[in-house]
Amino acid sequence: MMLSKFVDELPIPPILKPQWKDSVYTYYEVKMTEFKQSLHRDLNETTVWGYEGSYPGPTIEVESGEKVFIKWMNDLPDKHLLPVDYTVHGAHKDVQEVRTVVHVHGACVEWESDGYPEAWFTKGFEKVGPFFKKQVYQYDNCDRASTLWYHDHTLGITRLNVYAGLAGFYLIRDPLERSFNLPSGKYDVPLVIQDKTFNQDGSLYYPKQPQKPVPELETSIVPEFFGDTILVNGKVYPYLNVEPRKYRFRLLNAANSRFFRIKLDSGQRMYLIATERGLMQQPLGVNEIMLSPAERADVIIDFTNLEGKHIIMTNDAPAPFPSGDPVNEHTGTVMQFRVTRPLANVDTSVIPAYMMPYPLMNEQSASKSRNLTFTDNMDRYGRPLMLLDNKQWDDPITENPKLGSTEIWYLINLSPDSHPIHIHLIDFQVIDRRNFDVDRYNKEKSIHYTGPPLPPEPQERGWKDTVRADPNQVTRIIMKFGPFTGLYVWHCHMLEHEDYEMMRPFIVIR
Ligand SMILES: [Cu+2]
């Protein structure tokens, strides 16, 4: 379906209001429901799932260190909006079809409140998963100012729940960030970028069958899902009227599997100020920004002296990345900025010269290194099955870092696709990437490098929680485990991979 571009204004998700807030703690209630929402002028209203009646969900804004309690509630119908695949772990015929659990991506949080995939709950908490511990989650927000997001994380149906609309922003602010006089208020705009495909009637399309259908089963797991239409903040190719001044945009890739490589067609630079988990040492002028699923980047775009100009944000990342199909005019377009608003006030915001130190973690401080492979296998129906360390979700836990210890993980990608790897609880630094001999690894189970270590890309020189592990490379990351012990997960953030075994539990032990 061809939908006109730039005919709907960019929606800005509302800021969630707490039920209670005092100097000790803040309490929110968030209900998940099904409703209809207009995603494009020429499209019938689309049935979606959202939080508090909004897709994307309302933005949760907290202060670093604020004690926040959230009661996430499921008030969704009993029947899933999208085709559930009963052959996938956690989604078998004998469990309720509509299950939810919420993970705040990037949160430093106790494990009982992290949204463990088997801590799911149904409508009214009638049924709960085997790892469900509590109804009200507690967030200590021990992180620095950063752009986090919340989304569904239920075992075996995350791809469907997120695609249906269950995602929103969770922003942490702090005094240091405020001290820089960055563009703020209405000039600080979150942009969640996703891809979807629509049926003629405006409903969401998600493939029901893989290429080789399984006659006795209704299946929907596909190697990756790529939509043919791009949405920002839940609108198809929106436009935003801007003033001739600086804006801060928080870019989030919340697509199921699509990577975005973002550019502006004006050729102008964007000033990257923050990676996923905080401000960078100094802003970095870039012409493009690579965002694999779940990665974020905070940028300042300066529209000063561009009165009357229309600027298009574009994407040119192949799907699957890096060697899949090139984009077309639809998947290569994201949104438009129109510099049409008069300047309301003199723009006193700044692009700071220096923000905060980024001390590199010392490799010698690591007490353990782990070799973790990503492999491409096949299931009994002939469908691709990607595994981490050749293990499935239900295999015994093998990653058991000690509280307070530092580890280096060697992400050894033996598959042809790039995989965005996310580790819960902690933030990490990318040490390097290095080409290696995949065939030799498969034979000898040892790494033989074929090139020098490549430093992380400039846009990756900051605290992160999701990293692109490219094919034929070993990507090394370093992190310190804490401040909580308990059961967490690490996984590929391509949701079709995550839902089909490319996820593993890990436990932080004392
Ligand atoms: Cu993957």
Side-chain angles (χ1 to χ4, degrees), residues 224 386 417-421 492-494 497-498 502:
E224 292 102 12
M386 309 270 186
D417 289 344
S418 181
H419 299 277
I421 298 299
C492 175
H493 220 289
M494 288 161 86
H497 293 181
E498 167 181 347
M502 204 172 184

Side-chain angles (χ1 to χ4, degrees), residues 52-66:
E52 289 297 295
S54 168
Y55 154 64
T59 299
I60 298 174
E61 279 198 7
V62 306
E63 188 70 14
S64 176
E66 183 177 346

Side-chain angles (χ1 to χ4, degrees), residues 135-325:
Q135 292 190 0
V136 179
Y137 278 9
Q138 173 176 343
Y139 301 92
D140 292 339
N141 298 304
C142 24
D143 314 77
R144 54 189 89 78
S146 47
T147 301
L148 310 184
W149 61 299
Y150 62 95
H151 63 81
D152 193 82
H153 215 306
T154 309
L155 192 69
I157 51 169
T158 295
R159 71 193 183 293
L160 306 175
N161 288 359
V162 173
Y163 188 72
L166 294 177
F169 280 97
Y170 187 104
L171 309 181
I172 302 181
R173 303 185 183 279
D174 70 13
L176 178 71
E177 181 194 49
R178 268 192 288 274
S179 73
F180 295 121
N181 194 18
L182 300 166
S184 63
K186 62 178 174 177
Y187 307 111
D188 175 358
V189 182
L191 300 175
V192 46
I193 309 171
Q194 296 175 306
D195 59 340
K196 296 193 187 298
T197 298
F198 295 98
N199 296 312
Q200 285 294 335
D201 64 0
S203 59
L204 288 176
Y205 167 82
Y206 192 89
K208 207 172 189 144
Q209 295 280 7
Q211 282 159 333
K212 281 189 215 154
V214 182
E216 70 276 20
L217 294 163
E218 216 178 58
T219 55
S220 73
I221 199 75
V222 281
E224 292 102 12
F225 170 77
F226 300 111
D228 60 9
T229 305
I230 309 300
L231 295 88
V232 184
N233 294 355
K235 277 284 180 198
V236 171
Y237 308 117
Y239 67 85
L240 178 66
N241 290 319
V242 296
E243 299 176 21
R245 55 160 291 152
K246 292 184 282 299
Y247 280 73
R248 174 182 187 176
F249 294 103
R250 301 168 186 258
L251 306 177
L252 158 65
N253 179 349
N256 278 33
S257 280
R258 185 179 287 282
F259 288 45
F260 292 103
R261 189 162 51 205
I262 299 294
K263 286 183 193 164
L264 299 174
D265 75 338
S266 56
Q268 74 191 91
R269 288 189 150 199
M270 298 170 273
Y271 296 89
L272 187 66
I273 53 170
T275 54
E276 282 121 42
R277 296 297 281 278
L279 294 168
M280 300 178 80
Q281 190 163 303
Q282 58 249 328
L284 180 71
V286 291
N287 288 311
E288 62 176 45
I289 292 177
M290 187 70 223
L291 289 175
S292 66
E295 281 190 302
R296 288 90 71 205
D298 280 23
V299 297
I300 292 178
I301 300 179
D302 193 353
F303 301 109
T304 304
N305 298 324
L306 295 176
E307 284 91 341
K309 291 269 188 312
H310 288 186
I311 298 157
I312 297 172
M313 181 182 277
T314 62
N315 160 46
D316 69 352
F321 192 82
S323 45
D325 297 332

